[in-house]
Amino acid sequence: MTRIFSGVKPTGHLTLGNYLGAVRRWVEADQYRGEALFGIVDLHALTVEHDPARVRRLSRQAATLLLAAGLEPGRCVIYVQSHVDEHVRLSYLLECTASDGELRRMIQYKEKGAKARAAGEGVRVSLLTYPVLMAADILAYETDEVPVGEDQAQHVELARDLAVRFNQRYGHTFTVPRATLPPVAARVMDLRDPTSKMGKSRQGGAGVIHLLDEPEVVRRKVMRAVTDSGREGGYDREASPGPANLLDVLAACEGADPVALAGRYTSYMALKRDVAEAVVELLRPVRERHARLAADPGQVDAVLRQGAERARAMARPVVDRAYRNIGLLPAG
C-alpha cells in the first residue's frame, strides 16, 4: 500500500490557499488511497523568531482544523511532530549525510536568511539544517509519496538525494520518496498581491483569507481584491493576474474550468461577489465543525495522542535500522 506523508507548519492561521492547495486533496483523496500520515510539524516553526505560546496555540488550531476539514483518524494518522522522537533521532544521522553546500543552496534558506540579515537579526543554524529535519520527517515512515506545492519540491529532492546516498554508503535503509504536485489551478495567490502566494505567514493579511475568518471578513477581503483598470473579461494569468486569481479560486470552489468561467463575466464586481459567496459557502462547514471540536479539546488531544503512538510504531523500526546500519552500537 502506498505510504503518503505531508505536514503543516504552525507559523500562522491556515488559509484558503492551504485548504485548496493541499488540505482538501488530503481529505478527498490521499487519506483514502494509501497509508497516510499528516503531521503538525511544530519543530519547523522554531527556525525563526517566534512566540512559544503562539506556536502551541497554532499547533492545536491546525490539528483541529484538519479534523474539521474532514481528515478521519480511523483512516489516517494525525499527530504532532515533536511528540515523535524519531524525527529528531533520524535528523542528526541525515545531517551526517548531507553537505554544507547543498543546504546553502536551498531557496528558502537564501530568502529567509537574507530577510533576517536585512532586519539586523542573526540567522539560526536551524534555518540552514531544517530541510534535513524535513527529510527525516519523510524518510522515517518509508514514505512513497509527498504531496507538496512547487515551492517545497526542492526539499523532497533533498530527501531523495539523502536516501540514495545513505543507502549507497550503509546498505539499503530508506524508501526513496517522490513528490506529487497539486493541479496548477489549486495555487491560490494573495488577493492584494496576486504575484505572491497566499501564505499564512504574510504580514498584514489584507489579501489572505483564513479558514476561520467570519463570512463578512471574507466578503470584505474579496471585494477589495486587486483587479485591472483596463478592459474587463477573459482569463490571462500573465497580463491580468488579479482577475485570473479570482477565477482560479472560483473554479476551485465549483470544480470548474477558470477559462470557461471567464466567459460568464463582463464585470469584476459581479465576479468578486460570486467568489466571495462561493468561498463563504465552501468554508462554512469547516468553521462549524471547528467550533464543535474546539469546545471539546479533550477529543483533539486524544486524536493527537493516538496518532503519535501510531507514528512512533511506524517510524521506530526504520530509525533503529538507520542507527544500526550507520555503525552505532545498539542500546542494551
Side-chain angles (χ1 to χ4, degrees):
M1 184 177 290
T2 301
R3 182 72 59 80
I4 300 163
F5 173 87
S6 198
V8 58
K9 184 165 58 173
T11 52
H13 301 286
L14 293 183
T15 71
L16 178 67
N18 298 132
Y19 182 76
L20 293 178
V23 175
R24 188 168 67 169
R25 179 184 178 189
W26 300 350
V27 169
E28 295 179 353
D30 292 336
Q31 69 172 334
Y32 294 102
R33 65 184 184 85
E35 289 184 309
L37 299 101
F38 301 106
I40 313 301
V41 288
D42 52 345
L43 295 174
H44 293 297
L46 311 184
T47 60
V48 294
E49 193 66 34
H50 65 276
D51 174 9
R54 186 170 187 267
V55 171
R56 285 191 293 270
R57 184 172 65 253
L58 290 176
S59 295
R60 177 180 293 281
Q61 184 187 91
T64 307
L65 278 169
L66 292 185
L67 292 170
L71 288 183
E72 302 175 30
R75 293 186 178 275
C76 63
V77 180
I78 305 168
Y79 71 102
V80 175
Q81 177 193 34
S82 62
H83 295 176
V84 181
D85 293 344
E86 278 66 29
H87 289 257
V88 176
R89 287 183 62 208
L90 180 56
S91 183
Y92 182 72
L93 299 194
L94 296 179
E95 285 185 12
C96 296
T97 308
S99 71
D100 173 79
E102 62 190 340
L103 296 185
R104 293 187 184 278
R105 287 194 295 272
M106 291 286 122
I107 294 172
Q108 292 204 17
Y109 172 73
K110 290 181 179 180
E111 292 178 348
K112 292 183 179 180
K115 183 177 179 181
R117 293 185 190 95
E121 301 171 356
V123 180
R124 301 184 185 193
V125 173
S126 57
L127 186 62
L128 176 66
T129 60
Y130 93 91
V132 178
L133 177 59
M134 186 179 292
D137 299 339
I138 297 166
L139 300 182
Y141 297 105
E142 298 184 295
T143 300
D144 299 298
E145 295 184 11
V146 187
V148 292
E150 293 179 3
D151 58 332
Q152 293 293 333
Q154 185 184 39
H155 292 144
V156 181
E157 285 303 310
L158 177 67
R160 288 174 55 86
D161 291 343
L162 295 180
V164 169
R165 192 178 306 157
F166 196 102
N167 290 347
Q168 290 174 341
R169 290 178 180 176
Y170 308 115
H172 182 75
T173 307
F174 301 118
T175 298
V176 180
R178 61 185 179 275
T180 56
L181 301 177
V184 174
R187 186 175 175 84
V188 180
M189 312 304 281
D190 189 289
L191 297 176
R192 303 291 292 172
D193 177 13
T195 62
S196 300
K197 189 175 75 168
M198 184 182 287
K200 59 183 179 295
S201 300
R202 286 181 67 84
Q203 297 297 320
V208 177
I209 295 174
H210 299 103
L211 298 190
L212 295 179
D213 279 348
E214 295 288 342
E216 286 310 310
V217 173
V218 172
R219 293 186 181 100
R220 183 168 63 251
K221 288 179 177 179
V222 174
M223 297 308 291
R224 294 176 178 176
V226 169
T227 51
D228 296 333
S229 58
R231 184 177 64 85
E232 300 187 5
Y235 177 90
D236 189 330
R237 180 167 281 283
E238 294 299 321
S240 301
N245 185 43
L246 290 172
L247 288 164
D248 281 338
V249 170
L250 185 59
C253 290
E254 296 187 355
D257 175 59
V259 177
L261 286 176
R264 282 192 203 169
Y265 298 98
T266 58
S267 161
Y268 288 149
M269 188 64 67
L271 172 60
K272 289 180 177 182
R273 281 197 297 265
D274 285 357
V275 170
E277 293 310 312
V279 172
V280 166
E281 291 308 310
L282 179 75
L283 299 184
R284 188 184 305 279
V286 177
R287 292 179 61 252
E288 291 174 351
R289 288 193 293 265
H290 176 273
R292 291 196 295 270
L293 288 163
D296 183 12
Q299 181 180 350
V300 177
D301 288 342
V303 168
L304 295 178
R305 184 167 55 251
Q306 294 163 9
E309 291 172 358
R310 293 170 63 189
R312 278 193 295 270
M314 297 164 76
R316 185 163 295 163
V318 180
V319 177
D320 285 348
R321 182 168 68 236
Y323 268 60
R324 181 172 62 252
N325 289 356
I326 204 172
L328 299 177
L329 189 67

